[in-house]
Structures are given as C-alpha cells and as structure tokens.
Amino acid sequence: MKKIIVIISIFISLAACKKELKELDPPSSKVDGIKASWELSSCSMIDELSLVKEATTMGDFFTVNPSNKKPNIKFDIVSGVRTYSVDTANVLINFFENPTGTWTFDNDEYPTEVVFTPTVGTVFSLPLGASVRTVDTYLKFKKPVYCSGELKFSYVLEFKRK
C-alpha cells in the first residue's frame, strides 16, 4: 500500500511541476525595422581569398572630408512606395551609386538582401549581415567585389540607427 501511495504522490508532484507554455508575440516586421535613418559606424574590407579572411578597418577613409561627415542612408515608405536616400557627399567611395531610389527585400518575412533600384543607374543588391528589427540599433551589409567572376574581397558596412 505504501508503494502505491509513493507512486501516486510522485505522479502528482510531476504533474504539479508541468511548465506553463507562454504565447510568443508575432515576429516583428523587418520592413518596419529597416525604416529609419542610419549612419555609417564602421567599414572593413575582407580579403576573401585569404584562408583566415583577414580584415582591414577602413573607418578613417570615410572621414577625410573637412566636416568629418560619414555616409548615411534613410529607408522610408512614402504612399506605399519604399524609398531610400543616401548622403555620400565628399565621400571617396560611394557604395550606393545614385543618391535616391526605391528598395525592396528579397523576402519581407526572412530578408537576406536589400535590392536597390536607383532613380538613375543599375539595380543592385546588398546582402544583409543579419535581419533587422525595430529594436535593433545596427544594420550590416556585406558588399562582395568580384574580378573576372571570382570573389576577391568584400566590404562590410555597419550602420547605426540615428
């Protein structure tokens, strides 16, 4: 009889320890997450041919202008149209070709890259370093550079939300 009581009390104890399942909030919108003004906080160049992927920091390269102004980009949605504008005045390297245009993700729910359509110029895309949410303070792009069809190096651009 004691064994039955012990077994029943064990089952009751285990049932009482059952964890409560919590409801998760729906995933945040990546479109809303990128919609902001961003300023370049760091840039590095990665040697893609190196076994250890050596990187060179290029931050000072962007602040050689007298105002020490860094490149910035603004993603917005105006009347349902996704627009971007960049300010790369007096910057030696312009990664965005034209200062204005439209943008889209390759996939709004699980984006891996941003596709830019400049008002003048060629459509191009930049792979995302990570998905961006409204709570994230950094936006990271990786711009690969090919030569004769071979990946030679990449720029890693990290922007901070203003």
Side-chain angles (χ1 to χ4, degrees), residues 116-133:
F116 295 87
T117 306
T119 51
V120 176
T122 308
V123 175
F124 66 98
S125 62
L126 291 177
L128 288 166
S131 201
V132 63
R133 303 163 302 171

Side-chain angles (χ1 to χ4, degrees), residues 37-40 69-74 85-88 96 159 162:
S37 292
W38 304 87
E39 182 179 63
L40 188 69
K69 188 174 184 183
K70 294 183 181 178
N72 60 70
I73 186 165
K74 180 180 181 182
S85 59
V86 293
D87 181 3
T88 55
F96 298 98
F159 291 83
K162 285 185 177 182

Side-chain angles (χ1 to χ4, degrees), residues 16-65:
C17 292
K18 186 177 176 184
K19 287 189 176 184
E20 207 176 303
L21 295 178
K22 294 185 179 181
E23 193 73 27
L24 292 177
D25 291 334
S28 63
S29 166
K30 309 312 183 264
V31 173
D32 290 340
I34 200 169
K35 197 174 86 171
S37 292
W38 304 87
E39 182 179 63
L40 188 69
S41 61
S42 71
C43 177
S44 57
M45 188 168 73
I46 298 175
D47 180 359
E48 297 291 355
L49 298 176
S50 169
L51 290 175
V52 294
K53 306 291 184 213
E54 297 173 276
T56 302
T57 302
M58 299 180 58
D60 293 340
F61 192 70
F62 292 100
T63 57
V64 295
N65 60 62

